Each structure stands twice: as C-alpha cells, then as structure tokens.
Amino acid sequence: MQLYHHPYSLDSQKVRLALEEKNIDYTSYHVNPLTGKNMDSSFFRMNPAAKLPVFQNGAHILFNAIDIIQYIERVTIVSSGFESNLICSREVTDWMHKIQSWNPKFFTLSRIPEKHRIFVSKFIRRVVIARMAESPDLASVYHTKLKEAYETEDKLKNSDLLRQSEEELVQLLDEVEIQLSATTYLAGEQFTMADVMLIPVLARITLLDLEEEYIGSRPKIVAYWNLVRQRPSFKVVIGKYFSGWRKYKTLLKTWFFVHIRHLLKRY
C-alpha cells in the first residue's frame, strides 16, 4: 500500500490516522502542495485533480478520504475475520459525512496573512505554468488548475462565502459539543473512524491559533481534545509536525524552500 500525502492536508491526516489506528503498514510519500509538488507530471498523471491524499493498493487507486478510510476498514475486516465488530455503524458513517461536508479551504486561507498567501499563490501558479511547458500533453488539465488558482483568490474576496464557511464550522462544532455531552467519543464510548475525521479539524483550528475561540468555549470539546491528543496515532500523524515548537519547524522549512526556489526562478 502506498499513500501520497502531506502533514498540511486535512484529508491526508484523516487517512493516516485511520492507517495508524488499524496498524496497517504502508509506504509513505510526502507531496507538499505549498511547494507545488502535487503538480509534478508523474503525480498529475495519476491524479489530475492534484489533491491529497492518493491511496494506492495494487490496481486500486482512491482519492476521496472517506472512500479510502472505508477501504482500510474492509482490509481490516478481511485480515481479522471479525466482521461484526468492525463494520462502521450508521451513526459513525453519518458523522464521517457530516464532518467531510465542511470544506476547510477558505476558512484556512482567510486566516493566513495576505502577503504570505499571495506570495505562495503566485509561486504555485508559476509552478503550474512551468509544468505545462514541460508536459504539453497535459496542458488542458494544467490550465484548469491555473484557472482554479485565480478563482480561489477571487473567492477569498467574497465576504459572504467566508462567513458561510465559518458558520458551517460553528454549527458543526456545536453539534459535536452536544454529542460529547452524552458520549466520551463522537459516536459512543469507543474510538471510531468518526473521531479520525474530527481530530484533524480540531488540529487545524489549533494550528491557526484559534483554539480559544472555537474550542475553548466548548468544555466538552476541550475535554475530548485533551483525550484524543494522547493517542499514539495523533502523536505520529499530527503531534510530530505541529505540537509546540514543531509547527514552526514544519512551516519554516516550507517557507524557506519556496523563497529559495523563487529567488532562483526554479519552479
């Protein structure tokens, strides 16, 4: 099994948490979207959407986080032989889809200082143009990605869209708070794939230094967040990159790479 992913990607975190929780061995390939590595022709041919993660097991190639997690569950079922204990309940599945319906893209980008966001956006557009020149047979799909980049910048100027994204997050967190008033974990007293989907959302809020506003005001989520951060899977997938000083190391490494490539005009 191969997983193409990156620590910055929420969906990558969800899939990696599932793999770690199920103790499944896989080969890890880092593809940094902020440096445009997901635009390399070899990756682009496999996944023209250029989105992360990409999961491959032999001839099976999956791109959607929920599809990948459910595939991982089926692999676990086949390996264990205890199907009745491992099938996701309807409640777990409902929570997975509810969490996945919130798109973190605009909420995240709108919290990044504009000058940094625009600098990275311009760098990625130049990467796309460079890859388009290298692989003319992929020009049409590269052009689509270039158009999407410009559209993203326009959408970030739309205050209604940004407000809607925040309202959807608040509604989700309010529903989670109510649920955690009745159960230890999101879908009951046992850790499930519903929790795997939620943890990266809370980690993103924390990374953006918004924990006090969105988590601290919800005591049940505070207790839950403290609990799940103790899991070995969290420490491997998220804590290793973003706990304490580590988040600065992760971000500075990418920032340095982008600046050097920009100065050398190597896209």
Side-chain angles (χ1 to χ4, degrees):
M1 296 183 190
Q2 295 87 40
L3 181 69
Y4 300 83
H5 67 97
H6 196 270
Y8 294 129
S9 162
L10 255 71
D11 282 354
S12 292
Q13 292 175 357
K14 293 168 186 176
V15 171
R16 286 198 69 212
L17 284 169
L19 287 164
E20 294 295 332
E21 287 289 337
K22 298 299 183 180
N23 293 312
I24 293 178
D25 292 330
Y26 62 98
T27 304
S28 170
Y29 297 99
H30 276 205
V31 181
N32 193 336
L34 295 185
T35 62
K37 293 299 290 183
N38 56 325
M39 299 298 174
D40 286 357
S41 60
S42 58
F43 184 81
F44 210 63
R45 291 181 194 280
M46 179 172 57
N47 176 21
K51 294 182 178 179
L52 297 171
V54 175
F55 177 85
Q56 183 173 10
N57 186 23
H60 295 281
I61 300 178
L62 301 172
F63 311 111
N64 178 276
I66 291 180
D67 289 345
I68 298 171
I69 291 171
Q70 290 178 335
Y71 181 87
I72 292 168
E73 288 256 282
R74 289 195 294 272
V75 169
T76 307
I77 289 169
V78 171
S79 301
S80 69
F82 295 101
E83 183 171 344
S84 61
N85 293 329
L86 292 167
I87 293 177
C88 278
S89 69
R90 181 62 178 270
E91 185 177 9
V92 170
T93 302
D94 287 347
W95 272 112
M96 289 173 69
H97 284 281
K98 184 179 293 186
I99 295 165
Q100 191 68 1
S101 69
W102 178 67
N103 186 343
K105 180 177 180 179
F106 295 106
F107 179 84
T108 300
L109 290 176
S110 65
R111 264 68 181 180
I112 297 173
E114 185 177 13
K115 66 176 183 178
H116 299 322
R117 190 188 73 235
I118 291 175
F119 179 82
V120 173
S121 177
K122 287 181 177 178
F123 176 84
I124 292 174
R125 293 201 298 269
R126 287 170 180 148
V127 169
V128 173
I129 292 170
R131 298 298 170 269
M132 193 186 306
E134 293 170 358
S135 304
D137 60 310
L138 295 173
S140 61
V141 281
Y142 275 124
H143 180 74
T144 299
K145 298 307 295 182
L146 196 60
K147 181 180 178 182
E148 287 177 5
Y150 283 110
E151 288 176 347
T152 295
E153 287 302 317
D154 289 338
K155 289 178 179 179
L156 284 166
K157 300 173 185 176
N158 185 333
S159 58
D160 289 338
L161 186 150
L162 299 181
R163 183 170 58 254
Q164 179 183 349
S165 178
E166 181 177 12
E167 289 173 352
E168 289 173 355
L169 173 62
V170 168
Q171 181 179 347
L172 173 62
L173 294 175
D174 286 344
E175 291 183 33
V176 169
E177 179 72 7
I178 292 171
Q179 177 63 33
L180 292 176
S181 297
T183 58
T184 302
Y185 293 101
L186 194 52
E189 296 307 313
Q190 301 295 322
F191 187 93
T192 68
M193 294 299 101
D195 301 292
V196 158
M197 298 291 291
L198 178 61
I199 289 170
V201 174
L202 302 180
R204 175 58 54 89
I205 291 170
T206 302
L207 178 63
L208 294 171
D209 291 326
L210 298 171
E211 185 173 358
E212 182 176 350
E213 179 178 355
Y214 292 96
I215 296 177
S217 59
R218 296 172 172 86
K220 297 300 181 181
I221 294 182
V222 170
Y224 171 87
W225 184 225
N226 290 333
L227 175 65
V228 297
R229 281 187 292 182
Q230 303 308 312
R231 299 185 74 85
S233 62
F234 178 91
K235 296 175 183 179
V236 170
V237 175
I238 298 173
K240 177 180 177 181
Y241 300 98
F242 297 116
S243 292
W245 61 270
R246 293 180 180 87
K247 71 176 181 179
Y248 301 107
K249 178 183 177 182
T250 303
L251 293 169
L252 285 173
K253 183 178 178 180
T254 296
W255 192 243
F256 178 77
F257 178 90
V258 171
H259 270 274
I260 293 298
R261 292 286 291 272
H262 174 71
L263 290 172
L264 297 175
K265 298 189 182 302
R266 294 179 58 187
Y267 304 111

